[in-house]
Structures are given as C-alpha cells and as structure tokens.
Amino acid sequence: MQSGAKVITVGELSEYLRVHRSTLYRLLKKGQLPGFKIGSDWRFNVEIIDQWRMRLGAAQREELLQNDTGDVR
C-alpha cells in the first residue's frame, strides 16, 4: 500500500458508501469487497474502494448493496 494512503474503518466506509455496516460485512464474507484486516478489524484504502466502485456497473453495484430482504440501504 502507498505511504500516505487514506485508510478507513468499517464505520467510516458505511458512511462513505451510504450502506449499512451489515451489508459491508456480508460483502466481505463473500469476498466481494476489497479490504484488509489489522488484527480482527477490517480496514479499507479509499483509493482502492473508489476503483472498485468504478469497475462495478450501476446495476451490479445496486445488486451487491441490497440486503437480504431486497431493500437497498
């Protein structure tokens, strides 16, 4: 990872993407969200998250961010 790269927590990513924390944990469990662990805590590089978002199409992004009841959060 680059020196000086902005790294954020699950809570911060939840606010950044405007999705519920449980949605992020579900995507992490499925291996669909780029992140890394420090001890037991997940961290995310904002630049990598932005690249991930750009690679996803709008329809695919909406599908990934749906919760189990089908509601978009």
Side-chain angles (χ1 to χ4, degrees), residues 46-69:
V46 173
E47 290 180 23
I48 302 230
I49 292 296
D50 288 340
Q51 292 170 8
W52 171 77
R53 288 173 54 210
M54 293 301 146
R55 281 195 311 268
L56 295 177
Q60 186 180 7
R61 187 168 45 246
E62 186 172 311
E63 179 182 322
L64 279 176
L65 298 177
Q66 286 183 351
N67 67 19
D68 296 337
T69 62

Side-chain angles (χ1 to χ4, degrees), residues 3-56:
S3 176
K6 175 130 171 100
V7 175
I8 60 176
T9 65
V10 171
E12 292 167 330
L13 184 60
S14 175
E15 290 176 14
Y16 184 66
L17 297 178
R18 298 182 191 167
V19 297
H20 197 272
R21 292 167 63 109
S22 63
T23 300
L24 298 177
Y25 285 118
R26 183 171 38 85
L27 293 173
L28 286 165
K29 185 176 182 180
K30 292 180 179 181
Q32 297 176 327
L33 182 66
F36 60 96
K37 277 189 151 184
I38 297 179
S40 62
D41 298 324
W42 284 98
R43 296 291 187 265
F44 308 90
N45 179 309
V46 173
E47 290 180 23
I48 302 230
I49 292 296
D50 288 340
Q51 292 170 8
W52 171 77
R53 288 173 54 210
M54 293 301 146
R55 281 195 311 268
L56 295 177

